[in-house]
Amino acid sequence: MDDLRNIAVLIPAWQPEERLVSLVESLIAYGFGAIVVVDDGSHPDRDIVFDSIKSLSAVHLLRHAVNLGKGRALKTGINYF
């Protein structure tokens, strides 16, 4: 496996399912250095998903108060980088 510690992954998320947790865990297991997840104004009932990933190592969780669209979520993540 190549060294992925210098590579970050950006995931815009709106109303994610529980499988987002598995995806993030897999990316961490592969060795990516940072996982940036942007919650794009999801409903509070999805907080359980975001709470599950925000405590994982290498995860940076950013949040929009309201849904601004995938493009804005990507820009938020890129600006964070």
Side-chain angles (χ1 to χ4, degrees), residues 5 15 36 49 69-70 72 78:
R5 289 177 293 178
Q15 307 293 56
V36 177
V49 175
K70 188 187 300 184
R72 183 66 247 175
I78 291 167

Side-chain angles (χ1 to χ4, degrees), residues 16-65:
E17 298 175 4
E18 281 289 327
R19 65 185 176 173
L20 178 63
V21 178
S22 298
L23 172 65
V24 171
E25 290 173 338
S26 295
L27 293 169
I28 291 168
Y30 276 113
F32 285 96
I35 314 297
V36 177
V37 178
V38 180
D39 170 10
D40 190 25
S42 298
H43 191 274
D45 68 356
R46 303 304 170 114
D47 283 350
I48 192 165
V49 175
F50 294 111
D51 289 343
S52 296
I53 62 169
K54 74 179 178 184
S55 63
L56 297 172
S57 66
V59 173
H60 305 265
L61 178 62
L62 310 175
R63 298 190 115 149
H64 289 167

